[in-house]
Amino acid sequence: MYLELKVTSINLVEDLETGQPQFIGIYIEDCGWDEWKILSRTVKKQLVSEGFDDVAGRVALVCKQALRTRRS
């Protein structure tokens, strides 16, 4: 399956109190709930399969359009 998505920004999200890195936020435009679910599982599975288990839990994919709509 192939999804054509537009990544609008990638940010390092830090803890407000300590200033320590919490996770990497990847913000995606025009991505609904269905795409978000597929994308989330696929990216995590790929990171784990390539030996990046520790990173897999520290990446947040944020689909902006999904946050603006009700989940069906």
Side-chain angles (χ1 to χ4, degrees):
M1 178 179 212
Y2 178 76
L3 295 173
E4 194 168 317
L5 302 168
K6 179 182 176 186
V7 174
T8 56
S9 64
I10 300 174
N11 299 315
L12 181 60
V13 180
E14 297 178 346
D15 182 293
L16 294 175
E17 293 180 9
T18 66
Q20 295 297 312
Q22 291 280 81
F23 58 90
I24 297 168
I26 301 172
Y27 300 87
I28 305 164
E29 201 64 51
D30 299 326
C31 175
W33 288 105
D34 293 335
E35 295 90 359
W36 196 355
K37 188 175 183 179
I38 293 166
L39 187 60
S40 169
R41 288 181 182 170
T42 304
V43 168
K44 183 169 185 166
K45 184 178 179 181
Q46 187 67 33
L47 286 169
V48 169
S49 75
E50 293 185 18
F52 295 103
D53 302 29
D54 55 337
V55 175
R58 297 185 145 251
V59 174
L61 301 173
V62 181
C63 292
K64 293 179 178 183
Q65 181 181 353
L67 294 175
R68 293 183 202 122
T69 60
R70 284 186 164 268
R71 190 174 187 180
S72 54

